[in-house]
Amino acid sequence: MSAVLAAVRAGHVGETALLVEKLTETERRALLPGLQRLRKELRAAPWESRSERRYPALQVAGAVCHSGAAAAATWIAGADMRRRQAPADLLLKLLADRDTGWQADVARRLAARPVSADVPFPLMAGLVRRSGCEVPVTDAYVVGWVRYIGHTWGRVPLVDRLRAEPDLAPLVNGLFELSDLGEIRWLFGEGPGSWQSALAELTDAGVLERKAVVDACVARLLRGGGPTDHRVFLPLLGKLALTRDERRERVADWTALARDAASPVAAHAQSVLAALALDGGLTPRQLAEASEGLLFRTEKKLVRAQLVLLGKALARQAAAAAELLPTAAQAFGHPDTQVQERALKLVERYAERLDGDPATRLEIGVAAEQLGPVLRVRAADALGIAPAPAPEAYEEVLPPAPAPFRLAPAPDSAVELARQIGALLASDGDVAAFERALDGLARHAHRDQDALREALEPVAATRWWKEPESSRRPRAEDYFGNAHYGLLTAADGLELLLAALYGAVSADALLAALRRGPAGHECAHTGLSRVFDLRLRELAHRIRTDPQPLLLATPSWSTGLLEPGDLVDRLDAYRRLGARVGAADFAQALFRVRREDRAAALAAADRAAVLGTPESRRLARWLSAEGPALPALRRRTSGPRILVESAEVLELQGDLPEEFRRLGRPVTAFGKSRYCHRCGEENHAHWPAALPERRELIALRLVHALSRTAVDGRRGVAAVLPLLAESGGAAGESTHLCVAYGLGARHPEDRLAAVDALLVLAARGQLDAERLGADLGQLVRRGAVKPLRLAESARTAAATGANATIWEMLRHTLPVLLADLATGGTAGGPGVARGLGELLSVAADCAERSGARGELPHLSGAADRRGAARLVVQARRLRDALSVAATVESATKGA
């Protein structure tokens, strides 16, 4: 037996096979513990070693020595055995002496493994053939079969290889039942030699039962799935070339596919239904049922095609009007107004066939209430009914802005604090949770560090800096004590504080990093993260050397605002305890303290002056001073971008740490300081909380970063916009420019964040729609913002009920683009023209719903163009909406 283990260790597969084959059953069982120890040893070996060459021999030895079918299958298919496997024919030869029941059991167990187990198909198939058991139609077996057939190229055509398969029918049925085709999609291909062509040929030849194949194919498409499914099974369905009778007996399936399937499948089902409808294979009721689902799809091409089909059916069957016109009227609720107008034209053309059917006319009239004012009047004229009364005066209902909430006190229990820190390390928390955790760490470190460490032990035990040192990982002393590693994120900051608490970093290293500051070049937005970094490093050093009783800068509100009375109380506590105030902690407290409420600020200033400490006197002066005016701003352009520069903020240049003074220095639009490979967006949630009453100072440092979401396709930076909108202070030029870039961001999640910010500003009465609209017009004109993206953002915002707000914005965006269009300027390009049509569509929707009236400069020039391009159609619609009052009034009086 020692010879077997030696052969396995040497990786000699053939020798191992010869040795174990000669062993008795008792010797094989006695060998198992040694094999298991060797397997455990190989699992623990580092990945750099050459231990994987021993696995084939180990797999052979274990497969032969296990007498139970379950144990043998588990050994053969073990995850570690996938690195390198023994030849399947060798395993089959060694297992040939087992009874057929045992081999069938092993085959079934191997086939039941997931596809990722990568069990060799020849091994499973060999055991099935030798045992004579029923073929196991599992995902692993079917995928293995497809791979095996696909790789057996040679000169034998695929159709002949499949024809020679003895279990073809159940395996093909299993192919239709596979849960995921992703593993074998590339094997199917296209053209004459593809799987689809081969299966269709075998079906036509009678090798496969035609009805079973067609039913399975349709059922798989009905089941839905990813794009791989319809790329495999839809071509197969086409190659099967269903007869008229086969298509007709599956009308219910085509109807379901047209309603719910992916676009390519729905288009195929629609074409089948259209052919049946035009040759009399569908009743009007069946066509109406099929149309009901299709007309609610978002794909305009499918909806338009269905309306064309309804028109053809109405032209052929006069009696079908009562059945089909109400169905066509369902398109009145489609978001695309051109689809609405197409449906209305059908009603206008065939409404006379409804004479004597007032119920149907009334049903269509009710559906027409979804149309805009002009189309609604046309529908009433066509139906011969009174138009719906004009709606009451529009009232804008905006989503409520999130209300800031008071922060709860830091956890009084060290165990509760430990739970909160564990949650923050597991997933990003909000600013309120993070600030409470910082304050809790300071308080408990000051109160009882031993109890705090005991409570945090379950959290700290899993951190990397508590593990044994490794050559592949920096030492905690180097990583946390060396600011060269860059700015701390929130998660890094918590790790640093815990490492300091447990003594993993020396006080000297923490002090050196605190004084040296983070490495790396300066840019407009890293200044915000430098303040964040400094606070964390100062707190870590104080925990290690001189714990603070509490943090002065902990906000009172979720936005980062600190009530002046709260700050005075905390300074009083420091005075009574004789504690030393941290410079960064106090500077951040000054930046956060509320000064807009002058009465509260002056009352707190009087209280602070009485305390008599240096910090309290500074606070009194700070609260007594009026808040600084916004710095002087200047716009600059850089390629397609519009950027903002600012002058110095003198108030922020006083006796403050260097990182805080940076926030008051001028911001330039050019130079390398504007560009960096990392915008520090990991900390974006904490930026507005650094200056919660000075939103513009944050925004002007974000303009360039936000421009990258639109111009360069950068992802994620716009997540800061809703927090910026919820912050305090004036919402000026920089804030609106940031929102403008976000509305044109490449990625949908960034555009949605910008929409949220827009709605928050509007709900708080801080949105300057004229400024935002004018900015957007210039950005679209310069190519920084794509009009289609802006149209999607505007439509999303309008869908919340902000129609008047979005109209007011677009009212100042569109004239810039329409004027350029009229003169053949930048906005006259085909891509921008197409996007301009979408913007006009959104503007028309908002104007109709909000009752906007008046003239829009340069609109008539676009509306008077010839043709039916979307831009022209929507320009006419917007012009009609803006002048619709007289039309609706006269139609109502005439009725």
Side-chain angles (χ1 to χ4, degrees):
M1 289 187 289
S2 59
V4 176
L5 291 175
V8 172
R9 286 186 178 277
H12 297 158
V13 181
E15 182 181 350
T16 301
L18 290 173
L19 291 173
V20 295
E21 196 174 19
K22 296 176 182 179
L23 298 178
T24 64
E25 284 298 322
T26 302
E27 291 173 330
R28 291 176 180 178
R29 284 195 296 270
L31 183 61
L32 279 175
L35 293 174
Q36 290 166 346
R37 285 192 297 271
L38 177 57
R39 184 181 186 182
K40 186 176 181 181
E41 177 186 325
L42 293 179
R43 282 174 172 171
W47 65 271
E48 298 96 332
S49 74
R50 296 179 175 272
S51 59
E52 64 270 13
R53 65 186 177 84
R54 302 169 184 168
Y55 274 102
L58 181 64
Q59 187 180 37
V60 164
V64 175
C65 291
H66 279 95
S67 58
T74 300
W75 182 277
I76 293 171
D80 50 343
M81 300 293 179
R82 298 174 206 166
R83 298 185 186 182
R84 286 180 60 181
Q85 301 191 39
D89 55 350
L90 177 60
L91 286 173
L92 288 171
K93 177 184 176 183
L94 293 172
L95 301 178
D97 60 340
R98 303 298 177 95
D99 64 73
T100 56
W102 186 94
Q103 294 187 52
D105 195 4
V106 171
R108 285 190 292 268
R109 292 177 183 276
L110 291 176
R113 291 275 172 169
V115 175
S116 59
D118 202 21
V119 179
F121 174 76
L123 175 61
M124 294 186 288
L127 291 171
V128 168
R129 285 194 302 271
R130 186 182 293 165
S131 65
C133 69
E134 184 178 351
V135 59
V137 187
T138 63
D139 280 10
Y141 196 91
V142 174
V143 167
W145 172 67
V146 172
R147 287 173 175 168
Y148 181 75
I149 293 291
H151 284 100
T152 313
W153 297 111
R155 295 186 178 182
V156 182
L158 175 63
V159 65
D160 293 333
R161 297 200 298 273
L162 291 175
R163 187 180 281 110
E165 172 58 57
D167 299 307
L168 182 63
L171 288 172
V172 169
N173 185 62
L175 179 63
F176 288 109
E177 296 294 331
L178 277 179
S179 58
D180 182 15
L181 288 171
E183 295 283 341
I184 52 175
R185 163 71 182 93
W186 63 279
L187 288 169
F188 284 87
E190 299 176 356
S194 66
W195 273 78
Q196 294 91 331
S197 297
L199 291 176
E201 183 177 339
L202 293 173
T203 302
D204 292 340
V207 177
L208 293 171
E209 183 185 354
R210 181 175 181 82
K211 186 176 186 307
V213 173
V214 173
D215 285 345
C217 193
V218 173
R220 180 62 187 236
L221 293 174
L222 280 169
R223 194 176 85 181
T228 298
D229 284 18
H230 64 72
R231 288 172 186 164
V232 171
F233 297 111
L234 188 57
L236 173 58
L237 189 62
K239 292 181 182 298
L240 289 172
L242 272 60
T243 65
R244 182 179 184 278
D245 290 340
E246 288 175 325
R247 296 197 302 269
R248 188 174 182 181
E249 70 184 19
R250 294 176 174 81
V251 168
D253 294 333
W254 308 128
T255 300
L257 289 172
R259 180 181 63 243
D260 298 322
S263 288
V265 181
H268 176 80
Q270 184 185 46
S271 67
V272 173
L273 290 168
L276 290 173
L278 295 178
D279 70 1
L282 289 185
T283 65
R285 180 66 257 165
Q286 288 175 317
L287 178 57
E289 290 175 353
S291 302
E292 286 171 359
L294 263 166
L295 293 177
F296 283 102
R297 292 189 68 106
T298 57
E299 301 95 331
K300 290 179 283 190
K301 183 178 180 180
L302 294 180
V303 176
R304 287 196 295 264
Q306 196 65 17
L307 289 174
V308 170
L309 176 60
L310 288 173
K312 291 179 179 179
L314 285 165
R316 293 184 176 205
Q317 305 176 57
E323 195 80 60
L324 298 182
L325 281 182
T327 301
Q330 293 183 14
F332 292 166
H334 196 277
D336 186 83
T337 54
Q338 289 180 284
V339 169
Q340 296 175 11
E341 190 162 8
R342 283 175 180 267
L344 179 56
K345 287 179 179 178
L346 281 181
V347 173
E348 290 174 326
R349 187 177 305 158
Y350 298 107
E352 61 184 18
R353 297 182 182 179
L354 299 177
D355 290 342
D357 191 353
T360 302
R361 288 174 177 268
L362 182 60
E363 180 183 352
I364 298 174
V366 171
E369 294 178 7
Q370 303 173 84
L371 298 170
V374 175
L375 297 185
R376 206 160 52 234
V377 170
R378 283 176 50 184
D381 289 343
L383 295 168
I385 62 176
E392 297 179 2
Y394 175 79
E395 182 179 353
E396 186 94 330
V397 180
L398 294 167
F405 59 87
R406 266 273 191 179
L407 263 65
D412 190 56
S413 162
V415 174
E416 182 185 353
L417 174 64
R419 283 198 294 265
Q420 292 190 4
I421 292 175
L424 285 170
L425 288 169
S427 62
D428 294 335
D430 57 18
V431 174
F434 185 80
E435 293 288 348
R436 287 184 67 228
L438 293 188
D439 191 35
L441 278 170
R443 290 173 182 268
H444 284 279
H446 181 268
R447 185 184 307 166
D448 188 344
Q449 290 203 10
D450 291 337
L452 179 59
R453 279 189 285 267
E454 181 180 354
L456 282 167
E457 185 58 37
V459 177
T462 62
R463 313 324 298 172
W464 65 267
W465 44 266
K466 286 275 280 186
E467 298 174 1
E469 291 182 6
S470 167
S471 60
R472 299 190 300 273
R473 184 188 300 118
R475 294 189 312 127
E477 180 83 359
D478 295 334
Y479 184 82
F480 291 125
N482 189 346
H484 172 73
Y485 283 100
L487 295 164
L488 294 170
T489 65
D492 288 340
L494 289 176
E495 295 275 12
L496 167 63
L497 296 175
L498 293 181
L501 178 67
Y502 280 88
V505 191
S506 68
D508 290 341
L510 290 171
L511 180 60
L514 177 62
R515 289 175 173 173
R516 191 162 47 238
H521 64 275
E522 178 67 17
C523 68
H525 17 73
T526 54
L528 297 165
S529 288
R530 283 177 179 274
V531 166
F532 186 75
D533 181 274
L534 180 66
R535 290 182 60 215
L536 292 170
R537 293 189 184 279
E538 180 184 81
L539 177 56
H541 181 252
R542 291 293 296 272
I543 286 176
R544 192 79 170 82
T545 59
D546 180 19
Q548 298 158 266
L550 52 87
L551 293 183
L552 297 173
T554 303
S556 305
W557 297 92
S558 56
T559 58
L561 266 179
L562 172 57
E563 290 295 339
D566 292 347
L567 181 52
V568 174
D569 292 341
R570 294 170 189 174
L571 285 173
D572 189 25
Y574 266 74
R575 180 188 61 81
R576 286 185 283 102
L577 294 171
R580 181 169 57 89
V581 171
D585 185 31
F586 182 61
Q588 180 62 88
L590 291 179
F591 278 22
R592 281 178 172 170
V593 71
R594 184 197 294 271
R595 289 198 289 177
E596 287 184 347
D597 185 345
R598 297 307 302 154
L602 293 175
D606 292 339
R607 289 182 54 209
V610 173
L611 295 181
T613 64
E615 291 80 15
S616 66
R617 287 191 291 269
R618 284 185 61 191
L619 175 61
R621 292 193 297 272
W622 184 271
L623 292 174
S624 300
E626 292 285 344
L630 290 176
L633 300 180
R634 181 173 64 167
R635 288 200 167 200
R636 304 292 295 273
T637 58
S638 175
R641 293 175 170 86
I642 298 175
L643 303 174
V644 181
E645 293 182 332
S646 77
E648 186 177 47
V649 182
L650 293 177
E651 186 192 41
L652 303 187
Q653 296 301 302
D655 184 15
L656 295 166
E658 169 65 17
E659 283 74 7
F660 287 84
R661 291 201 301 272
R662 290 172 187 266
L663 297 184
R665 291 176 182 167
V667 175
T668 61
F670 301 105
K672 65 180 182 179
S673 64
R674 294 296 312 183
Y675 298 88
C676 64
H677 71 286
R678 271 183 69 188
C679 291
E681 57 262 28
E682 300 89 347
N683 294 331
H684 68 256
H686 299 272
W687 292 345
L691 288 162
E693 280 191 333
R694 297 173 183 174
R695 174 171 27 209
E696 278 292 284
L697 294 184
I698 303 295
L700 69 88
R701 286 167 170 76
L702 294 175
V703 170
H704 189 274
L706 266 298
S707 74
R708 298 186 67 186
T709 66
V711 179
D712 304 325
R714 182 104 184 201
R715 187 192 296 268
V717 185
V720 72
L721 287 175
L723 301 173
L724 194 66
E726 295 169 26
S727 190
E733 186 173 355
S734 301
T735 299
H736 284 78
L737 196 54
C738 285
V739 174
Y741 280 120
L743 292 173
R746 175 181 179 181
H747 298 286
E749 63 270 27
D750 289 320
R751 294 197 295 272
L752 189 59
V755 169
D756 288 344
L758 183 154
L759 294 173
V760 169
L761 289 173
R764 299 179 67 183
Q766 297 172 332
L767 180 70
D768 187 340
E770 180 178 352
R771 182 199 294 271
L772 179 60
D775 285 346
L776 285 167
Q778 293 301 326
L779 290 174
V780 172
R781 189 176 186 275
R782 298 179 64 85
V785 167
K786 301 293 188 293
L788 280 175
R789 297 175 186 169
L790 174 58
E792 182 181 336
S793 297
R795 194 180 296 281
T796 301
T800 67
N803 294 289
T805 300
I806 299 305
W807 162 246
E808 185 65 19
M809 179 186 80
L810 294 179
R811 187 168 71 86
H812 296 90
T813 302
L814 291 171
V816 179
L817 307 179
L818 291 170
D820 223 17
L821 183 70
T823 59
T826 307
V832 176
R834 185 167 71 93
L836 183 52
E838 290 297 325
L839 278 175
L840 287 166
S841 174
V842 179
D845 287 342
C846 294
E848 288 174 350
R849 291 168 184 159
S850 65
R853 303 289 180 263
E855 295 288 333
L856 188 69
H858 309 292
L859 177 62
S860 293
D864 291 338
R865 289 186 167 200
R866 294 181 178 179
R870 183 164 181 79
L871 187 153
V872 177
V873 170
Q874 295 304 323
R876 293 170 185 163
R877 178 178 163 228
L878 177 56
R879 183 177 62 181
D880 292 342
L882 293 176
S883 59
V884 78
T887 305
V888 175
E889 183 179 352
S890 62
T892 306
K893 288 180 178 178

